[in-house]
Amino acid sequence: MSLARTLVLKTSGLAPIKFLVRKSFLFRPLVGRFIAGDTLEEALKVSESILAKGLLVSLDYLGENTASEQEALEATATFIRMLERIAEMPVVQKWNAEHADSPTLNQSGDGIEPLNISIKMTQCGLDLGEAFAEKNLREVVETAHRLHNFVRVDMEASEYTQRTMDMIERVRGEYKNTATVLQTYLYRTPGDVERVIGWKARVRLVKGAYLEPPSEAYPEKAKVDEAYVTLGKRLLDAGTYPAFATQDAAIIKTLNAYATEKGIDKSRFEYQMLYGIRRDLQDSLAAEGYNVRIYVPFGDAWYPYFTRRLAERPANAFFILKSLFKG
Ligand SMILES: Cc1cc2nc3c(=O)[nH]c(=O)nc-3n(C[C@H](O)[C@H](O)[C@H](O)COP(=O)(O)OP(=O)(O)OC[C@H]3O[C@@H](n4cnc5c(N)ncnc54)[C@H](O)[C@@H]3O)c2cc1C
């Protein structure tokens, strides 16, 4: 992991920095570049314009590590509300009508919903108890199932990986319209890739965004990138509609070349990118006929998400630091 990335992830946790960045209007434009708005309605508007360009969306209600059962239940209710509002959108209704006969709707590449949701297990209350969080997750996935939608469970820090994987496996025993994310910086991930291939689950592959110790994750970026390519190829060969979530143009080029060489159709996988990052790449991939899904975050609990984006691009963080010292 680069020194700059570690520095940003560590300093952003300090109370005075947090206070200044959250409160100052100076950073609003930068925050607005990555966050689609404070409310669900604002995020749906942004989503509509993305869908109109022929891209797909995953909507993310920001928040993590809920500290009380009340907060976790409120987050769960918001996820359900999101699914209900999505189901009311004309573009989604049209899509549902066109795919009504697909037996594997939202489980495999046969029916790929235009607008799904991404949630976090610690939002559902994982820190407060596994059974409690699982009950909340089940409720969300059940609603999505009823409304022909799909729930992506983001992967958080490595202390949650095993519990998240086990929980998804249990819920998938009943509902197949959910799956999670695997991070190529973790040493354990090749084993987890084989596990999700066995489930026939739609996995999202990412490099990983959290501060991890060298006992758990590769400290060298080159190793993380190398693992991404190896595991990406494995998922192209044996996975079920994998999602490659990266803005790394070199990796995308390598995976596209591999898919072409192996005769794997573009419809059998998708790319995912974050709202506000590499729009040029999003548009050019879509123009070439690849499925591209944009991860659209909204809500007022944007600080941890925002600082992870800064850590990926330290130039953005240095801009903030410079502004702070200018007064
Ligand atoms: C859709 C999606 C979902 C994700 N879900 C998770 C998850 O559940 N769990 C998890 O741990 N991580 C998640 N991530 C984050 C991921 O782990 C990486 O931290 C992030 O994608 C940056 O890595 P990269 O693959 O784009 O490659 P990098 O090598 O970091 O970046 C490649 C290029 O992308 C551009 N870029 C990347 N980040 C930025 C930025 N912040 N600002 C400006 N340009 C940038 C730059 O041009 C850079 O050179 C997700 C990422 C995406 C795209």
Side-chain angles (χ1 to χ4, degrees), residues 5 155-156 158 161 181-193 203-210 212-213 216-235 243-246 248 251 255:
R5 182 165 174 253
M155 191 57 87
E156 301 176 74
S158 60
T161 309
V181 178
L182 295 177
Q183 300 149 320
T184 68
Y185 62 11
L186 295 184
Y187 304 130
R188 59 172 286 160
T189 297
D192 288 335
V193 164
V203 72
R204 174 199 292 156
L205 193 66
V206 300
K207 291 185 186 178
Y210 295 81
E212 296 290 352
E216 297 295 327
Y218 294 112
E220 311 90 348
K221 186 176 175 344
K223 287 259 170 64
V224 179
D225 292 355
E226 196 185 310
Y228 199 108
V229 171
T230 307
L231 297 173
K233 287 181 176 173
R234 175 74 186 132
L235 285 168
F244 301 113
T246 179
D248 190 324
I251 287 184
L255 292 180

Side-chain angles (χ1 to χ4, degrees), residues 13-307:
L14 300 174
I17 300 271
K18 216 170 180 169
F19 181 81
L20 277 168
V21 176
R22 278 186 65 86
K23 297 293 168 203
S24 172
F25 281 97
L26 212 71
F27 309 122
R28 277 279 152 180
L30 194 54
V31 174
R33 194 184 129 189
F34 298 120
I35 316 293
D38 282 350
T39 67
L40 172 59
E41 294 310 313
E42 283 171 283
L44 289 175
K45 254 210 189 93
V46 168
S47 302
E48 257 169 7
S49 62
I50 294 172
L51 291 169
K53 289 204 305 180
L55 304 169
L56 310 163
V57 171
S58 192
L59 209 53
D60 166 43
Y61 171 54
L62 292 165
E64 47 207 90
N65 299 103
T66 49
S68 71
E69 291 203 352
Q70 183 58 29
E71 249 181 87
L73 292 174
E74 275 166 20
T76 305
T78 302
F79 300 146
I80 290 174
R81 178 82 195 117
M82 286 160 69
L83 289 164
E84 288 169 348
R85 280 292 289 116
I86 290 170
E88 286 165 11
M89 292 169 76
V91 56
V92 173
Q93 289 185 342
K94 181 168 174 275
W95 184 87
N96 278 342
E98 284 166 6
H99 292 80
D101 294 335
S102 172
T104 51
L105 193 61
N106 305 324
Q107 297 167 25
S108 71
D110 292 359
I112 297 308
E113 64 293 331
L115 213 175
N116 64 30
I117 68 168
S118 290
I119 71 173
K120 290 187 171 53
M121 282 321 303
T122 64
Q123 265 179 308
C124 290
L126 188 51
D127 290 330
L128 308 165
E130 221 167 306
F132 173 66
E134 186 168 329
K135 182 172 170 290
N136 292 336
L137 170 66
R138 222 171 256 278
E139 217 176 298
V140 177
V141 174
E142 188 182 17
T143 306
H145 187 260
R146 178 167 55 78
L147 298 170
H148 311 296
N149 212 331
F150 178 83
V151 179
R152 172 74 63 192
V153 176
D154 288 348
M155 191 57 87
E156 301 176 74
S158 60
E159 64 183 288
Y160 301 111
T161 309
Q162 189 63 42
R163 282 177 286 168
T164 303
M165 289 289 287
D166 293 346
M167 208 174 283
I168 296 286
E169 183 168 34
R170 287 195 294 273
V171 174
R172 279 183 58 87
E174 205 173 342
Y175 302 109
K176 299 283 188 263
N177 60 319
T178 187
T180 187
V181 178
L182 295 177
Q183 300 149 320
T184 68
Y185 62 11
L186 295 184
Y187 304 130
R188 59 172 286 160
T189 297
D192 288 335
V193 164
E194 296 309 317
R195 195 171 166 195
V196 300
I197 287 173
W199 297 347
K200 298 196 187 315
R202 287 167 52 178
V203 72
R204 174 199 292 156
L205 193 66
V206 300
K207 291 185 186 178
Y210 295 81
L211 196 55
E212 296 290 352
S215 56
E216 297 295 327
Y218 294 112
E220 311 90 348
K221 186 176 175 344
K223 287 259 170 64
V224 179
D225 292 355
E226 196 185 310
Y228 199 108
V229 171
T230 307
L231 297 173
K233 287 181 176 173
R234 175 74 186 132
L235 285 168
L236 279 172
D237 283 335
T240 301
Y241 193 75
F244 301 113
T246 179
Q247 283 96 205
D248 190 324
I251 287 184
I252 291 173
K253 202 169 158 206
T254 304
L255 292 180
N256 284 346
Y258 186 78
T260 307
E261 180 197 323
K262 295 280 174 155
I264 299 165
D265 194 79
K266 288 171 182 165
S267 63
R268 287 182 40 208
F269 58 97
E270 72 182 29
Y271 284 106
Q272 296 187 350
M273 296 189 205
L274 302 176
Y275 176 67
I277 297 179
R278 291 300 312 261
R279 287 195 188 134
D280 55 331
L281 191 55
Q282 300 171 4
D283 292 342
S284 65
L285 279 170
E288 285 174 57
Y290 291 98
N291 293 327
V292 181
R293 190 179 297 277
I294 310 303
Y295 185 98
V296 175
F298 75 96
D300 56 12
W302 47 263
Y303 188 77
Y305 176 89
F306 179 66
T307 53

